[in-house]
């Protein structure tokens, strides 16, 4: 493993490095500026589409990237044009000493935006500290507004803690405060209009995400699948949907505002309509593997060379390789629903 002394030396070299790049274009001329960074595969929920209730083989702690290693790799990713980092898990807030790590991450120069995806269970406790670190954009995963249904989906009776977290984040003026909803036919798709109505009176950004076949045992079936287009058609019954524009670091959601609403709705059609042509992301798993695509199981190990003491140029070359090898389109995926083997919790949501 790389020594603390050498790691500090590497970080110092990077901070004084004049080779920090503008956002990098890949071979398809996409701007790759967004890193989804998983810091743990642990979670305090057991959502039916993400992980089983029992028998989970978590990554041993020694194999998870340390915070110092994560900071080192983020600085190297900045050399390759990354300007936005989204922290994911598992559930990132369950990892010990998260806030001190976030304070250091927030100090990384050239990093323009840090966001967080959380299930909201611990959000009430952490919201003020997140704001103090300069985080103002968060996503809360919430698939039902009904406590009994939330229990069925997550296998944990914690709906009220999640809602209290959302209320605290609203009180502290997080903006945007996004609510991510995985729509599943026959399970929660009858709540689509209830979620959309939240945007009428509150400045929430509600994102409807197609149920994706990620992981070998995530309960995906075609009978449970509902397209983003179908959800959009249902919501149109509430009023005209006004299209909204995109920022260069935005994710893949097609964004709309219901006429007169304070918030907005968005649709992520990862299964029915691929967005490979505009994908601007890399993923780094909690155990240090770079992925260019959620639906491709091709990975590049950056942890081993880091712990072997390889130089920063070598590590930067691995990020460049991940960008250059990022799939150009869905042609790398067999016909039928796109799948990957690893559980979402081990990739980073």
């Amino acid at each position: 493993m790389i020594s603390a002394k050498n790691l500090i030396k590497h970080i110092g070299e990077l901070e004084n490095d004049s080779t920090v790049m503008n956002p990098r274009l890949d071979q398809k001329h996409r701007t790759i500026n967004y890193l989804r960074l998983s810091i743990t595969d642990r979670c305090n929920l057991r959502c039916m589409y993400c992980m089983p209730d029992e028998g989970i083989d978590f990554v041993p702690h020694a194999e998870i990237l340390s915070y110092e290693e994560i900071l080192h790799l983020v600085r190297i990713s900045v050399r390759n044009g990354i300007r936005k980092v989204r922290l994911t898990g598992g559930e990132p807030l369950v990892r010990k000493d998260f806030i001190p790590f976030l304070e250091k991450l927030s100090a990384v120069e050239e990093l323009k935006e840090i966001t967080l995806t959380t299930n909201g269970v611990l959000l009430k406790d952490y919201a003020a500290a997140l704001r103090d670190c300069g985080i103002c954009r968060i996503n809360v995963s919430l698939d039902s507004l009904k406590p009994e249904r939330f229990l069925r989906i997550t296998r944990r009776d914690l709906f009220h803690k999640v809602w209290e977290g959302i209320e605290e984040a609203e009180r502290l003026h997080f903006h945007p405060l996004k609510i991510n909803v995985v729509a599943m036919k026959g399970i929660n798709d009858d709540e689509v209009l209830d979620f959309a109505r939240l945007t009428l009176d509150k400045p929430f950004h509600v994102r409807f995400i197609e149920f994706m076949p990620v992981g070998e045992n995530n309960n995906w079936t075609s009978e449970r699948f509902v397209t983003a287009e179908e959800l959009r058609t249902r919501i149109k019954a509430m009023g005209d949907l006004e299209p909204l524009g995109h920022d260069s670091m935005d994710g893949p959601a097609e964004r709309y505002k219901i006429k007169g609403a304070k918030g907005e709705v968005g649709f992520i059609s990862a299964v029915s309509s691929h967005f490979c042509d505009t994908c601007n992301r890399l993923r780094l798993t909690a155990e240090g593997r770079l992925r260019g695509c959620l639906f491709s199981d091709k990975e590049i190990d950056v942890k081993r060379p880091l712990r072997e003491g390889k130089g920063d140029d070598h590590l930067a070359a691995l990020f460049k390789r991940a960008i250059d090898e990022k799939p150009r389109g869905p042609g790398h995926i067999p016909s039928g629903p796109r799948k990957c083997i690893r559980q979402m919790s081990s990739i980073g949501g």
Side-chain angles (χ1 to χ4, degrees):
M1 183 181 298
I2 186 171
S3 69
K5 181 178 180 180
N6 285 337
L7 186 57
I8 292 170
K9 178 176 181 288
H10 283 321
I11 291 173
E13 290 170 351
L14 266 176
E15 288 175 338
N16 295 311
D17 192 346
S18 62
T19 63
V20 173
M21 298 179 57
N22 291 323
R24 185 186 288 277
L25 299 179
D26 71 355
Q27 295 184 26
K28 197 175 173 64
H29 301 289
R30 295 170 293 192
T31 300
I32 310 302
N33 56 13
Y34 179 1
L35 179 68
R36 295 183 68 96
L37 172 58
S38 175
I39 66 168
T40 181
D41 63 338
R42 269 67 169 177
C43 190
N44 45 12
L45 298 180
R46 294 293 182 270
C47 295
M48 58 187 295
Y49 54 79
C50 187
M51 63 171 70
D53 194 12
E54 298 177 341
I56 306 167
D57 293 325
F58 290 116
V59 177
H61 182 71
E63 296 303 317
I64 297 290
L65 290 172
S66 70
Y67 284 141
E68 290 76 15
E69 289 170 332
I70 292 172
L71 290 167
H72 189 188
L73 292 173
V74 167
R75 289 183 173 96
I76 289 174
S77 76
V78 168
R79 282 181 61 178
N80 280 272
I82 294 299
R83 295 292 178 267
K84 173 180 178 178
V85 167
R86 176 173 296 282
L87 299 168
T88 71
E91 168 51 41
L93 296 182
V94 303
R95 182 161 175 178
K96 185 179 179 181
D97 296 326
F98 175 77
I99 295 300
F101 157 71
L102 187 56
E103 290 172 345
K104 294 176 183 177
L105 182 65
S106 300
V108 174
E109 294 185 11
E110 299 296 330
L111 197 56
K112 303 302 183 185
E113 185 176 324
I114 301 171
T115 62
L116 171 74
T117 293
T118 174
N119 61 31
V121 172
L122 299 174
L123 182 56
K124 183 178 180 180
D125 299 331
Y126 279 91
L130 292 171
R131 284 290 292 182
D132 289 344
C133 290
I135 306 302
C136 60
R137 302 165 65 91
I138 58 173
N139 288 31
V140 181
S141 299
L142 178 65
D143 299 321
S144 179
L145 297 171
K146 301 177 180 180
E148 68 282 359
R149 184 174 288 175
F150 178 92
L151 170 60
R152 177 189 173 194
I153 293 172
T154 68
R155 306 184 180 105
R156 299 293 185 269
D157 190 12
L158 294 170
F159 171 81
H160 296 293
K161 286 186 71 67
V162 175
W163 194 252
E164 288 172 0
I166 291 173
E167 290 179 325
E168 180 67 3
E170 182 185 12
R171 186 185 72 80
L172 292 172
H173 304 293
F174 279 82
H175 185 77
L177 174 52
K178 298 181 183 179
I179 297 177
N180 291 346
V181 186
V182 177
M184 296 169 283
K185 187 172 292 186
I187 294 178
N188 67 345
D189 66 313
D190 60 329
E191 295 187 61
V192 168
L193 296 185
D194 294 332
F195 274 105
R197 288 189 189 99
L198 290 176
T199 71
L200 298 179
D201 301 316
K202 295 181 178 291
F204 295 164
H205 292 196
V206 175
R207 296 285 187 264
F208 297 100
I209 303 171
E210 290 182 343
F211 184 17
M212 294 180 283
V214 176
E216 292 184 298
N217 300 301
N218 82 326
N219 296 300
W220 191 93
T221 66
S222 58
E223 289 76 19
R224 288 180 175 171
F225 178 68
V226 53
T227 68
E229 182 58 35
E230 181 179 339
L231 300 177
R232 185 162 40 237
T233 298
R234 294 190 203 178
I235 294 171
K236 283 180 181 177
M238 295 176 57
D240 293 338
L241 291 179
E242 302 170 354
L244 300 174
H246 281 267
D247 183 83
S248 64
M249 291 192 293
D250 278 350
E254 293 293 330
R255 300 167 52 208
Y256 299 86
K257 182 184 288 287
I258 300 171
K259 190 172 183 178
K262 291 184 177 180
E264 65 177 65
V265 295
F267 305 91
I268 299 178
S269 53
V271 178
S272 67
S273 178
H274 69 83
F275 37 80
C276 302
D277 286 346
T278 57
C279 183
N280 60 345
R281 291 175 287 179
L282 293 179
R283 293 173 180 267
L284 181 62
T285 69
E287 77 275 34
R289 295 180 180 275
L290 278 171
R291 296 174 67 101
C293 176
L294 174 62
F295 290 105
S296 171
D297 285 304
K298 185 173 183 178
E299 299 178 334
I300 297 174
D301 184 358
V302 292
K303 179 182 66 181
R304 177 177 291 181
L306 172 63
R307 292 186 174 180
E308 289 176 347
K310 299 292 186 183
D312 291 339
D313 287 344
H314 179 90
L315 297 171
L318 295 179
F319 275 86
K320 181 180 183 300
R321 176 183 155 198
I323 291 171
D324 290 342
E325 294 181 359
K326 186 174 170 63
R328 298 189 181 192
H332 68 285
I333 304 166
S335 60
R338 294 175 282 173
K339 301 183 71 172
C340 71
I341 295 173
R342 292 185 63 170
Q343 293 291 127
M344 180 66 87
S345 59
S346 70
I347 298 172

